[in-house]
Amino acid sequence: MKRINYALLAFVTFAATLALAGCGDDKQVAEVKAMAFADTNMTVDNALDTRKICDSVKWSVFQDDRKQTTVQYDCNYKGVDDSAFLQGESPKAVTAGDVWQWTYDASGSPTLTGVSMVVRHDDGSTHDVISGGLAGQMLSKLIVDNTVEDYDHIFASVAGRRIPLKYQEPSSPIPDSTYGNKLAQFYQGLSSGDAAVFAYRQKKVNVQPVGTDALGYLDLNNEVANPADLYPVDPADVQLQFPLPQGDSEHPSERLQYTPRDLAENKLYCMGDYCFDHNNLVGRAPQEVLAKESGFVTDGMGKVTPVAQTQQATQQDANAQPASLGQALAQAQGMTAQPTAPASASTTDSDLPTGSQDWPTSTPCIKKLEDAYRKDRQAHGLDDTISMDQDNDFASTCKTVGQ
């Protein structure tokens, strides 16, 4: 009698059971693969199973909580381990890819119901880079083109970002006194902007740059709140230096409410410890710049005009009008201080309006000062109305010079 190999029979029976169990799944996957892909002449099979970017592809079938059958496609991308975008992420990214799902409706037909691009981390968490209808549109175009071959290139295309350079260590320690636009000397072959990004990373300062200005400084998006974290600017690039207004916030973004009136196109201004290139924070003010601070006054529009520190307090009290304007204008008119002349009958008449110390408020001298005052205010877009106090100042000036 022929002996039966029961172990072999058991294995064959088990394999046959598995084949039967997967038969329905194979049929549903085949149905999905035969569908048209994204309104093209390609089938889903042609589009998704031949992608250069996929390190591996997996098809699966499952039922959701409502007993609906779903076919799922997973593509795991190449280039995740050495991605410049994912470098330094915490928790660490371990895989990334896109996921497509087709769900069978009541009529037994599959319909595309979900598309997402997902990153998976070593702690088990995941996050969607993009999902929904927009993900389907953007990924479909990239799939049909089939030119991207790694995570960085597909992410750059989807997010509209430039692929960052992979981090480099500086060739030597960077002195903290190095100007922010001179950091390329520590990074071979890099632009000043890229070098600055790595230099700040080396300082463990997280910056979100918005570009590089004409002077080569990294525009830091006004987010670095500690001046010690910033590289200094070159004093030769600074046109104006103001102190931090008393009572103002320490955060650099608060200082952008002040705009210097006559800042040259390729020059910086500094306010307190921070320096700006018209619109963006670019570095800190070195001591050489801080030592040259000037005061300033502002008009109603936030425009800043520098003044000498000794005049600042008086000017602010006079609504941005220089305290010694009368004297300055008198000098501009060729007047010099003289002993006060004896008052004539015309200037001692008790019926005349008086200004400072019984000096008339209407003389040729005062008229000249009033005209110069109005011209100066109009040139700076300020109110040219002359107050009584201002008229008294003019009268006092004219009395001093005997006019």
Side-chain angles (χ1 to χ4, degrees), residues 27-362:
K27 176 178 178 296
Q28 290 158 337
V29 169
E31 287 177 344
V32 169
K33 285 187 174 186
M35 295 172 62
F37 180 77
D39 298 324
T40 68
N41 293 327
M42 301 176 69
T43 63
V44 170
D45 185 13
N46 296 146
L48 298 184
D49 278 344
T50 58
R51 298 170 66 188
K52 296 177 181 179
I53 195 174
C54 297
D55 189 47
S56 63
V57 168
K58 177 183 177 182
W59 290 90
S60 58
V61 180
F62 64 90
Q63 285 192 330
D64 61 21
D65 295 338
R66 294 180 294 175
K67 304 300 182 183
Q68 289 181 306
T69 298
T70 297
V71 174
Q72 179 167 302
Y73 160 88
D74 291 272
C75 163
N76 280 324
Y77 297 150
K78 300 173 184 175
V80 173
D81 291 340
D82 59 354
S83 163
F85 283 117
L86 296 175
Q87 186 178 35
E89 270 203 356
S90 182
K92 180 182 178 182
V94 290
T95 64
D98 52 61
V99 180
W100 298 66
Q101 293 181 341
W102 294 261
T103 300
Y104 278 77
D105 58 24
S107 67
S109 300
T111 302
L112 182 64
T113 52
V115 182
S116 62
M117 180 176 169
V118 61
V119 176
R120 307 174 187 89
H121 303 278
D122 59 2
D123 66 349
S125 62
T126 64
H127 78 267
D128 287 348
V129 176
I130 187 172
S131 61
L134 181 60
Q137 294 174 22
M138 299 185 74
L139 290 174
S140 292
K141 183 180 185 306
L142 294 170
I143 289 169
V144 171
D145 292 343
N146 199 21
T147 56
V148 294
E149 299 187 21
D150 55 45
Y151 175 81
D152 279 352
H153 283 85
I154 195 168
F155 179 81
S157 297
V158 168
R161 299 263 301 274
R162 180 175 70 94
I163 298 175
L165 296 171
K166 293 180 182 177
Y167 176 66
Q168 296 182 32
E169 291 288 339
S171 57
S172 61
I174 305 174
D176 199 48
S177 58
T178 306
Y179 299 145
N181 62 346
K182 298 294 190 294
L183 295 164
Q185 60 187 299
F186 298 94
Y187 297 92
Q188 184 176 3
L190 295 189
S191 66
S192 60
D194 289 332
V197 171
F198 290 155
Y200 277 109
R201 188 180 299 180
Q202 191 261 342
K203 285 177 61 131
K204 302 190 183 305
V205 177
N206 182 29
V207 297
Q208 300 295 329
V210 295
T212 307
D213 69 10
L215 293 169
Y217 292 100
L218 199 65
D219 286 337
L220 297 169
N221 206 24
N222 308 311
E223 288 302 320
V224 181
N226 184 358
D229 290 337
L230 297 168
Y231 286 100
V233 301
D234 186 340
D237 295 332
V238 178
Q239 178 179 331
L240 300 169
Q241 168 68 30
F242 306 115
L244 177 65
Q246 187 174 4
D248 271 20
S249 166
E250 292 290 332
H251 198 280
S253 62
E254 295 297 322
R255 306 181 197 188
L256 294 177
Q257 63 181 298
Y258 304 102
T259 306
R261 183 178 297 282
D262 299 312
L263 185 64
E265 183 176 354
N266 290 329
K267 284 292 184 178
L268 309 177
Y269 75 94
C270 301
M271 185 164 283
D273 293 316
Y274 296 99
C275 296
F276 304 86
D277 65 349
H278 292 265
N279 298 310
N280 275 289
L281 176 69
V282 295
R284 77 169 189 268
Q287 286 302 316
E288 183 179 345
V289 170
L290 291 172
K292 297 179 180 179
E293 278 186 348
S294 65
F296 70 90
V297 291
T298 62
D299 60 21
M301 302 299 291
K303 292 288 187 181
V304 175
T305 302
V307 298
Q309 286 277 44
T310 55
Q311 297 180 9
Q312 183 181 9
T314 307
Q315 288 187 324
Q316 288 172 334
D317 291 341
N319 189 27
Q321 170 61 32
S324 58
L325 178 63
Q327 296 168 350
L329 292 175
Q331 293 172 0
Q333 295 291 334
M335 305 175 190
T336 56
Q338 302 172 5
T340 302
S344 66
S346 63
T347 60
T348 57
D349 191 324
S350 59
D351 293 332
L352 288 175
T354 57
S356 173
Q357 301 294 322
D358 296 329
W359 200 258
T361 57
S362 180

